[in-house]
Amino acid sequence: MLGCIQQLLPDATPAEGASCIWNPVFLNSSEDEQHFVINPIFNGGTGARPTKDGLSTTAFPSGVRTTSIEVNEATSPLVFWQKEYTPDSGGRGEFRGGLGQTIEISHRHNRPFIVSKMFDRVQHAARGRAGGEAGSCGAVYAQTDSGERRALSAKGRDLIQRDEHLILQTPGGGGLGDKAQRTDTAHVRDLTNELVTDAEQ
């Protein structure tokens, strides 16, 4: 849709973003006597705007927000070990795409749990516009403490084993314009804030 709008309003249309919210449902497995169901919402990045960077971990166009991690942990036996921006996930450009986030979750009592999901943007990244680069795709996998990874489908139900952590990486937004036109000030700010890792633009 944004591609169509861009043909009419080329100077007022953002690049593609993560588009959909990631709202997994977490619930207990048959091995767990503590019954629980929670449905948090996680967002990816929006596309870069005509004169500004995209918004990180922000739903668009819905504007949906989620409950705090503290509430999710208080109402379930899950622990959220990590919830932070994913560096380099926003597409490069004169204006950078918004960043996605990385979320790491396990069971507090070392028990398996179930995740049900309907995620998009895991195979088709948000495209950049006018020379801007695409944002990163999302990813879903389980990982053991030793670092062994097990890829999970973006849709359907999976059982996270007792020795695994669930990792969700939401998609980043596309960039807008040639990255060579990005100002040094903006690039240094990104490096300082650890939004990008490459010192080269």
Side-chain angles (χ1 to χ4, degrees), residues 14-44:
E16 291 182 5
S19 302
C20 62
I21 57 176
W22 282 35
N23 56 332
V25 177
F26 300 115
L27 61 154
N28 57 284
S29 72
S30 58
E31 297 182 32
D32 196 345
E33 296 179 357
Q34 180 180 354
H35 295 274
F36 71 93
V37 178
I38 60 171
N39 182 204
I41 293 172
F42 305 115
N43 297 309

Side-chain angles (χ1 to χ4, degrees), residues 77-89:
L78 301 182
V79 176
F80 290 72
W81 295 99
Q82 179 185 14
K83 187 175 184 289
E84 58 188 42
Y85 289 151
T86 307
D88 300 322
S89 56

Side-chain angles (χ1 to χ4, degrees), residues 22 86 100-103 121-122 137-141 149 167-171:
W22 282 35
T86 307
Q101 59 186 310
T102 300
I103 304 104
R121 288 265 189 241
V122 294
C137 286
V140 189
Y141 57 93
R149 291 186 177 186
I167 312 295
L168 307 177
Q169 291 182 322
T170 64

Side-chain angles (χ1 to χ4, degrees), residues 38-57:
I38 60 171
N39 182 204
I41 293 172
F42 305 115
N43 297 309
T46 72
R49 296 166 287 179
T51 60
K52 296 180 180 179
D53 292 342
L55 300 170
S56 296
T57 63

